[in-house]
Amino acid sequence: MYENELVPITKVLLVGLDKNDPQFGYQMTELTNLATANHLEIVAMITQKLNRPNSATYFGKGKVEELKEALEYHGVEMVVANDELSPSQIRNLEQQTGAKVMDRTALILDIFASRAKTRLAKAQVAIAQLQYQLPRLRTSMNIRLDQQTGGGGGSFTSRGAGETKLEMNRRHIEHQISLLRQEIEEIEADDQTRRARRDKQNIKNVALVGYTNAGKSTIMNGLVRRFGENKEKTVFQADMLFATLETSVRKLNLPDNQSFLLSDTVGFVSNLPHGLVAAFRATLAEAAQADLLVQVVDYADDHYREMMATTAQTLKEIGVTDIPMITVFNKADLRPETIYPDRDGDTVTLAAVEDTSLDLLVETIRRHILSDFATVELLVPFSEGALISELNDSAIINATDYTEEGTLLSVTLTAPQLARFEKYIQ
Ligand SMILES: Nc1nc2c(ncn2[C@@H]2O[C@H](COP(=O)(O)OP(=O)(O)OP(=O)(O)O)[C@@H](O)[C@H]2O)c(=O)[nH]1
Ligand SMILES: [Mg+2]
């Protein structure tokens, strides 16, 4: 296990509103997984069919009573709600049930915060957390003001002092956000330089995208171990939600001299908080600038179709449209009676943990990123030996033969190479 096993387990009750959405069951399963990932132990789940949340208490009146009783019965002091709640809904529910209330957004933010390792990821999560806190500041201040009022009659001065303190807290948070933004800009500026350098090399970018825990990093590592320029440079992969929070880019060199860059990045989940999506826009830019996307799907999960819809929705939200995509149905080894590795157009069914599967994936990627190439026969006179070594270094040589006039090669060339070697084409 990679998780810190010493983290104390908090017991929680999950609550959710069934707003007549066919996705509701999937979302509650997802919430269960998110809570478990955050070291929470789910002892019960309470749901209510309501088209719209109660604006004051999220659940209707009777349901709040039922929740209170369930909390007492199970001896639980925390509730996790499936939606993002307004500050007043949280406050009212807390007051009426006596339990702490956490919403889906806060839960996801917590997981991201505990997973963030790099400076960039930490700064991005911190911004999202501070932004979540901003509108909620008043809530905690109000409680304090109420207490002051109750104790001493609530004079104008204490209220005024309270509001000034609230204003100070707000300004302090806004200042912290702007410092973090500056820090991110500096890190990004560095990143863009690197990206620009790569663009100059005229090398294709392929990005792995998809739902969290689908196997993106496993595919990355499988390919790095086989084709990586540096085979030791693997990335973190683990059976947990949001194992990856930063983008890693690796150069892969195929046996025929072709190279491409593969990037692995943060996974998706439904209703990813908008603040997080905005904060991670830079990290996700790798996908936005790719020549080809490889969508990885956990084919062993019964909810894989919903996960694909979530991926499509998130890509749209971050402005990734019009990039060609290969779909990988991964973990086929865990799905009984599945034939794999298998390809049907741009859809590949495979198991990232097996070499034959990775070969088929590379072949499928190659079809896309090599579409600008042409295969021709060249006859290079023996006197032009230097050209042969140049071709060896920069082109895909499919076959070599020696004739009386010179070396006969079957090669795959880029458009500029075609022009350069035109006079040798047979
Ligand atoms: N049996 C099996 N397990 C797999 C396969 N691919 C990945 N896994 C496992 O699935 C889990 C998640 O894999 P990761 O590669 O970390 O998933 P990810 O998509 O990078 O997840 P995030 O970084 O959280 O978005 C790990 O425990 C992997 O070992 C597969 O083809 N077969
Ligand atoms: Mg990963």
Side-chain angles (χ1 to χ4, degrees):
M1 280 304 281
Y2 293 94
E3 305 273 56
N4 181 352
E5 289 176 11
L6 295 175
V7 174
I9 300 281
T10 307
K11 292 187 173 179
V12 295
L13 245 156
L14 297 191
V15 299
L17 282 187
D18 182 352
K19 293 165 243 167
N20 232 341
D21 181 350
Q23 306 278 315
F24 181 64
Y26 155 66
Q27 287 191 4
M28 288 309 281
T29 308
E30 209 179 30
L31 187 69
T32 305
N33 295 336
L34 288 166
T36 310
N38 210 17
H39 308 288
L40 302 174
E41 185 191 332
I42 298 124
V43 296
M45 192 186 274
I46 297 184
T47 62
Q48 179 175 28
K49 274 191 194 293
L50 257 190
N51 283 341
R52 250 194 287 149
N54 180 302
S55 61
T57 50
Y58 182 63
F59 269 170
K61 199 164 185 272
K63 210 67 179 178
V64 175
E65 262 317 301
E66 186 185 327
L67 172 62
K68 193 176 173 202
E69 279 164 23
L71 286 162
E72 277 162 20
Y73 175 80
H74 291 289
V76 172
E77 292 173 349
M78 190 167 166
V79 172
V80 177
N82 186 37
D83 297 277
E84 181 168 318
L85 269 55
S86 73
S88 64
Q89 283 173 326
I90 292 187
R91 187 183 56 215
N92 292 334
L93 258 188
E94 288 188 340
Q95 275 172 356
Q96 291 183 26
T97 61
K100 182 177 162 31
V101 176
M102 185 187 230
D103 66 6
R104 186 188 179 95
T105 304
L107 178 64
I108 296 177
L109 286 173
D110 259 21
I111 303 175
F112 267 64
S114 66
R115 303 276 198 257
K117 290 186 205 80
T118 60
R119 219 175 109 215
L120 179 64
K122 281 183 181 157
Q124 286 168 324
V125 179
I127 286 196
Q129 279 182 317
L130 290 170
Q131 267 166 345
Y132 177 78
Q133 277 173 25
L134 262 186
R136 287 161 178 82
L137 271 182
R138 191 168 290 277
T139 315
S140 55
M141 272 326 288
N142 277 349
I143 289 167
R144 228 170 291 158
L145 282 175
D146 290 348
Q147 282 166 353
Q148 276 173 11
T149 315
S155 72
F156 242 80
T157 35
S158 71
R159 184 172 296 271
E163 278 180 351
T164 314
K165 180 99 200 306
L166 175 65
E167 185 54 31
M168 265 171 58
N169 283 346
R170 208 166 59 83
R171 254 186 280 130
H172 177 68
I173 290 192
E174 277 168 355
H175 181 60
Q176 272 183 298
I177 292 178
S178 73
L179 287 182
L180 286 163
R181 283 226 172 93
Q182 247 171 294
E183 189 180 342
I184 289 174
E185 257 173 44
E186 282 163 26
I187 305 172
E188 268 173 31
D190 242 32
D191 236 42
Q192 275 178 1
T193 329
R194 246 178 286 146
R195 199 173 296 131
R197 221 176 289 143
R198 285 205 315 257
D199 283 348
K200 263 205 202 118
Q201 287 183 358
N202 200 12
I203 185 163
K204 298 280 184 179
N205 281 280
V206 180
L208 294 160
V209 294
Y211 197 86
T212 178
N213 213 41
K216 299 178 293 297
S217 300
T218 307
I219 288 182
M220 172 80 146
N221 286 340
L223 294 178
V224 165
R225 281 191 202 102
R226 303 192 64 201
F227 306 113
E229 200 156 65
N230 183 343
K231 299 193 167 37
E232 257 94 77
K233 278 181 83 177
T234 51
V235 299
F236 180 60
Q237 70 180 66
D239 189 12
M240 58 159 80
L241 300 183
F242 305 117
T244 307
L245 282 197
E246 42 273 318
T247 302
S248 304
V249 183
R250 300 288 183 266
K251 187 171 180 193
L252 303 180
N253 298 323
L254 302 181
D256 54 17
N257 284 329
Q258 278 304 306
S259 307
F260 65 93
L261 295 170
L262 185 67
S263 59
D264 175 30
T265 188
V266 53
F268 306 147
V269 74
S270 73
N271 299 325
L272 207 53
H274 293 293
L276 263 183
V277 173
F280 276 80
R281 208 170 281 276
T283 302
L284 295 166
E286 209 64 49
Q289 302 195 1
D291 299 293
L292 174 69
L293 298 180
V294 176
Q295 177 186 196
V296 186
V297 180
D298 183 347
Y299 199 31
D301 193 303
D302 287 342
H303 289 297
Y304 76 89
R305 282 192 193 85
E306 284 98 332
M307 291 167 167
M308 290 175 76
T310 294
T311 301
Q313 174 62 30
T314 314
L315 286 173
K316 209 168 115 194
E317 203 171 326
I318 59 172
V320 177
T321 48
D322 294 340
I323 300 180
M325 182 155 85
I326 290 174
T327 303
V328 170
F329 287 115
N330 188 32
K331 307 195 191 180
D333 55 316
L334 300 180
R335 209 182 153 91
E337 290 167 43
T338 305
I339 298 166
Y340 75 94
D342 186 43
R343 176 172 59 206
D344 181 9
D346 283 334
T347 303
V348 193
T349 306
L350 54 75
V353 286
E354 296 175 18
D355 279 357
T356 47
S357 283
L358 293 175
D359 283 342
L360 185 64
L361 176 59
V362 166
E363 205 36 56
T364 314
I365 292 175
R366 187 205 295 269
R367 280 176 179 225
H368 273 271
I369 57 178
L370 296 188
S371 56
D372 297 347
F373 289 63
T375 299
V376 290
E377 296 240 297
L378 296 183
L379 181 65
V380 181
F382 291 120
S383 56
E384 310 260 15
L387 285 183
I388 303 283
S389 49
E390 187 186 329
L391 284 167
N392 261 321
D393 289 341
S394 61
I396 308 172
I397 300 190
N398 308 309
T400 309
D401 204 2
Y402 301 98
T403 67
E404 279 180 12
E405 295 103 285
T407 313
L408 188 63
L409 304 157
S410 160
V411 286
T412 306
L413 301 176
T414 60
Q417 283 173 328
L418 269 180
R420 174 157 159 57
F421 293 102
E422 201 186 345
K423 67 173 179 178
Y424 304 107
I425 295 177
Q426 289 299 288

